[in-house]
Amino acid sequence: MKANTRTEGGTSADAIEHHYGTGNDYFSLWLGETMAYSCAMWDGDEENQSLDDAQLRKIEYHALQAHARDAGALLDIGCGWGGLLNHVVSEYDVARAVGLTLSQSQADWITSRARPGVEVRLESWENHQPDTLYDSIISIGAFEHFAKLGLRPSEKVRIYRNFFSHCHGWLKSRGWMSLQTVAYGNSLPRDFDEFIAREIFPETDTPRLAELVEGAERLFEIVSLRNDRDHYRRTLRAWFSNLKSHRMQAVRMKGEEEVRRFEQYLRLMAYMFEVGGLDLYRVTLRKIDRPRGS
Ligand SMILES: C[S@@+](CC[C@H](N)C(=O)[O-])C[C@H]1O[C@@H](n2cnc3c(N)ncnc32)[C@H](O)[C@@H]1O
C-alpha cells in the first residue's frame, strides 16, 4: 500500500480494491455509459428514463449545488471512474478538476481517458495537500467509507469532523460543497446482513445523519438536505437488470459464484432502501469563514 493511500479510521485501500478492483470491464457491463457507481437522480415517476440520463442528472445536480460553473479548481473526493471530472471541465468550464481515489484500477481508467484539466490522485483525503484553494468540493458515495464498522459513534463523529475540517481548510472563502451519502435510516447495524459487511464492503460503516451534521457543525452551514432513498432503490434495480442482460458475459469474466454474489448484494440493498432501513442524502454545504470556538 502506498503511503498516501493509508487511511486512519476508514476503509483501507486494500479493502477498497477488493470491491472496486473487481474489474473495470466487469463494472462497465452494468453501470452504464457514465460508469457512475452511486445513486442516480430520477425525474419523478417517469418510467421511460434511462439510467444514463438519471446519472447525468445527478452529476449536473451536484455541479450546480457546488457552484462549479467557471470554477478555477474543483475537488472530487472519491471520484470513482472520473465521469464527474470529465463532465465539469467540458460542460462547466472548470479549469482544473482534481479527483481522489484509493483504487489503482480507477486511477488508471481515468488517466487513460482524462480531458485537459482533469487530474487524478491515488490518495486518501486524509493525506491530500492541495497546492491551491478550491472553489468547489464534491463528494459522492465516498463518505460511507470514511469510518470502519465497529467504531463508537463518538469516534465516527471525530473522523467526520476531521474530514469537514480538511474540506474547510481547502475551500476559498464562503466556498460550496455538495455531498451525497448513504446513511442508516430506520435500522441498527445488527439489522444488516453480515454478507454485505464481510463479502461486499469490508471495513465499511455508513453514517447516521446526526453524526454527519455534528461533524459539519460550525464549519459549514447546511443549505439544503434531501433524502432520495427511492432513487437508490431504482438505481439498484437498473444495475440488477443491466447485469441480468449481460449475465453470460459477466459469468465468463468473473465466474458464476461472483456474479451471484453481486446479484444478491444488489437485491438486498434495493430492499433496504425500499423499506427505509437505508437513506440516501444529498447535502449542500457552505463554508463558514470564521467558525465560533475553533
Ligand atoms: C462508490 S464509489 C463512488 C465513486 C463516484 N463518486 C461515483 O459517484 O461514481 C466510492 C469512491 O470513494 C473512494 N474512496 C473511498 N475512501 C476514500 C478515501 N479515504 N479517500 C479518497 N477516496 C476514497 C473510492 O476509491 C471510490 O472511488
Side-chain angles (χ1 to χ4, degrees), residues 188-207:
L188 297 168
R190 64 169 176 268
D191 297 334
F192 288 84
D193 199 305
E194 242 191 66
F195 158 78
I196 299 279
R198 199 184 48 235
E199 299 200 29
I200 305 294
F201 290 115
E203 303 178 18
T204 299
D205 194 15
T206 54

Side-chain angles (χ1 to χ4, degrees), residues 52-180:
D52 289 338
D53 287 349
Q55 288 293 12
L56 216 51
R57 186 175 298 110
K58 182 264 303 285
I59 289 175
E60 295 267 326
Y61 172 82
H62 287 290
L64 284 172
Q65 296 304 105
H67 293 239
R69 171 78 55 210
D70 297 325
L74 175 147
L75 177 67
D76 181 2
I77 304 172
C79 60
W81 284 273
L84 183 136
L85 298 171
N86 280 329
H87 191 78
V88 295
V89 293
S90 58
E91 304 300 322
Y92 283 76
D93 296 321
V94 170
R96 185 164 171 232
V98 179
L100 310 183
T101 176
L102 294 184
S103 159
Q104 180 72 61
S105 35
Q106 290 180 336
D108 294 343
W109 172 281
I110 297 173
T111 306
S112 67
R113 292 162 176 78
R115 302 210 168 126
V118 168
E119 211 176 297
V120 61
R121 298 197 186 177
L122 191 63
E123 64 188 22
S124 173
W125 60 267
E126 291 148 278
N127 308 312
H128 182 53
Q129 292 186 338
D131 44 30
T132 179
L133 288 179
Y134 294 105
D135 301 271
S136 310
I137 297 180
I138 294 177
S139 184
I140 306 174
F143 199 82
E144 296 88 330
H145 288 299
F146 297 169
K148 279 194 182 77
L149 202 61
L151 294 182
R152 285 194 303 274
S154 59
E155 289 171 309
K156 288 174 74 182
V157 170
R158 191 187 54 75
I159 291 170
Y160 299 148
R161 200 147 181 83
N162 187 27
F163 169 72
F164 283 114
S165 301
H166 277 75
C167 294
H168 186 272
W170 297 331
L171 270 176
K172 286 185 180 160
S173 165
R174 300 296 282 143
W176 292 85
M177 178 166 177
S178 192
L179 183 98
Q180 173 169 315

